[in-house]
Amino acid sequence: MAAARVPLWAICVLRVALATVYFQEEFLDGERWRNRWVHSTNDSQFGHFRLSSGNFYGHKEKDKGLQTTQNSRFYAISARFKPFSNKGKTLIVQYTVKHEQKMDCGGGYIKLFPADMDQKNLNGKSQYYIMFGPDICGFDIKTVHVILHFKNQYHANKKSIRCKVDSFTHLYTLILRPDLTYDVKIDGQSIESGSIEYDWQLTSLKNMEKASAEAEGWDQAAKDKSQDWEKHFLDASASKPSDWKGELDGDWQAAMLQKPPYQDGLKPEGIDKDVWLHQKMKNNYLTEYDLSEFENIGAIGLELWQVRSGTIFDNFLITDDEEYAENFGKATWGETKGPEKEMDAIQAKEEVKKAQEEDEDDMLMGRFSGRENSFKGFHRRNEF
């Protein structure tokens, strides 16, 4: 008997059930977003956000997101979720960003914070785990930041990742895997990937632990070699005293001619490896979380500067399932990207048409004004 085929919808439902969604925000309930997102009051000059789909969009309601509203301002806003650790799990951070104002200088990135982050006091000095997304300023800076917190320091990807610079909505995805590989996607397409250790030029704690074990082996080898080395400095002409009794006095050893030179910071020839200071590393680091592993993720936020406002942030997602993130991106950005460009094209045509009509009106007014002036001149000439 042939096995029964499992319908596609059942597979999709099972996949959703297996995925863990830590945070998802589409702003589909109007102004209720204010109950979930907290503006920082650290600085009274922080810019304000509003809910908007912008001047052009694919769907007026689905494309609504947090929009910056004031020029030349810092912004700081965040939302909480149930704290979790991604240790041993894949972590995907995804969202859409639209620089409708054609960004000249400003950030479009997001940050993931520890659960104990003070939302009301969020500012540029607030500790974060991950900073990810586009940053544009002038002709030089058009980059996608991927900054990770590791061993109490921030580390940026050493590769240059270019961001989108047009005024349309784009989908940004960061994938961090437990095997220490990563993937950066824009609009569902991988634009950079590889090894976190190599591309951040960092050493994982797993490899540190391996190195520590190797170091212990070298320490023992060094100890054994040093004992052999000491024999080279024994007085070869010396002989065991006639009254030496091994049972009482132990094994006889000739006197040392001089102090071995490997002591006091030096080492004997024949030991071709440095003795690593692995004990300090073991005590301080091996109990910490490894590269791209974070203990207490509990908030997502926008903490950035913009010269010209108008950016819209939407479709936030934090999950452990790459397929779920891909499907979510298709169901949100994927559904509205086409209609958004169509609306923009229609508006562009209308603006061109309007400009042409205004030019024609100006020309007609110019002609009428010229005739009127000629008529007045004719009457003046006839007055004489």
Side-chain angles (χ1 to χ4, degrees), residues 38 41 65 77 102-103 116 118 153 160 163 175 180 199 204 215 218 232 299 349-350 374:
V38 177
T41 57
I77 193 171
K102 294 183 179 178
M103 176 66 75
D116 60 358
D118 182 358
Q153 291 184 329
S160 177
C163 66
I175 302 172
L180 296 181
D199 290 349
S204 74
W218 279 107
H232 294 287
K349 289 180 180 180
E350 291 176 347
S374 296

Side-chain angles (χ1 to χ4, degrees), residues 319-334:
T319 183
D320 65 350
D321 191 284
E322 294 185 43
E323 186 173 341
Y324 181 90
E326 182 179 352
N327 291 334
F328 180 74
K330 291 178 180 178
T332 52
W333 170 83

Side-chain angles (χ1 to χ4, degrees), residues 84-287:
F84 72 96
S85 169
N86 70 313
K87 188 175 181 65
K89 302 177 183 178
T90 297
L91 176 64
I92 300 102
V93 182
Q94 182 172 280
Y95 72 109
T96 58
V97 59
K98 174 186 179 184
H99 293 312
E100 185 177 84
Q101 74 279 35
K102 294 183 179 178
M103 176 66 75
D104 52 354
C105 188
Y109 43 80
I110 62 173
K111 292 181 178 181
L112 257 58
F113 298 95
D116 60 358
M117 186 267 291
D118 182 358
Q119 289 180 277
K120 285 288 186 180
N121 196 41
L122 174 61
N123 61 82
K125 296 182 180 180
S126 298
Q127 180 189 333
Y128 61 87
Y129 286 143
I130 298 173
M131 175 174 155
F132 168 63
D135 193 12
I136 300 171
C137 197
F139 294 101
D140 298 331
I141 301 176
K142 296 179 176 65
T143 187
V144 178
H145 290 299
V146 188
I147 301 175
L148 306 178
H149 186 267
F150 180 57
K151 288 166 42 178
N152 297 320
Q153 291 184 329
Y154 295 113
H155 304 274
N157 190 317
K158 305 304 179 184
K159 290 183 177 179
S160 177
I161 308 175
R162 184 177 174 83
C163 66
K164 296 292 185 178
V165 296
D166 57 50
S167 58
F168 296 110
T169 301
H170 292 286
L171 179 71
Y172 284 81
T173 307
L174 171 64
I175 302 172
L176 302 174
R177 303 184 184 94
D179 64 356
L180 296 181
T181 61
Y182 76 99
D183 205 341
V184 174
K185 297 181 178 182
I186 299 180
D187 298 343
Q189 301 298 314
S190 177
I191 60 168
E192 195 57 79
S193 61
S195 163
I196 296 176
E197 285 188 291
Y198 185 81
D199 290 349
W200 272 259
Q201 296 179 10
L202 296 170
T203 303
S204 74
L205 298 182
K206 296 183 183 70
N207 285 336
M208 286 184 183
E209 189 172 21
K210 180 181 178 181
S212 177
E214 292 177 355
E216 289 180 357
W218 279 107
D219 279 350
Q220 184 60 46
K223 183 177 180 181
D224 294 341
K225 284 178 178 283
S226 68
Q227 291 175 349
D228 293 338
W229 184 254
E230 289 179 355
K231 296 178 181 178
H232 294 287
F233 292 87
L234 299 178
D235 185 357
S237 63
S239 59
K240 183 170 66 174
S242 58
D243 59 347
W244 188 275
K245 296 180 180 179
E247 296 82 1
L248 298 177
D249 301 322
D251 294 335
W252 178 84
Q253 181 171 300
M256 298 287 289
L257 288 176
Q258 66 181 59
K259 191 175 183 180
Y262 70 86
Q263 295 182 9
D264 295 330
L266 300 176
K267 63 178 182 179
E269 297 177 2
I271 301 179
D272 56 357
K273 287 276 188 176
D274 291 332
V275 178
W276 300 344
L277 299 176
H278 61 275
Q279 197 63 39
K280 178 180 179 181
M281 180 191 68
K282 177 186 290 186
N283 293 339
N284 292 346
Y285 299 146
L286 295 185
T287 58

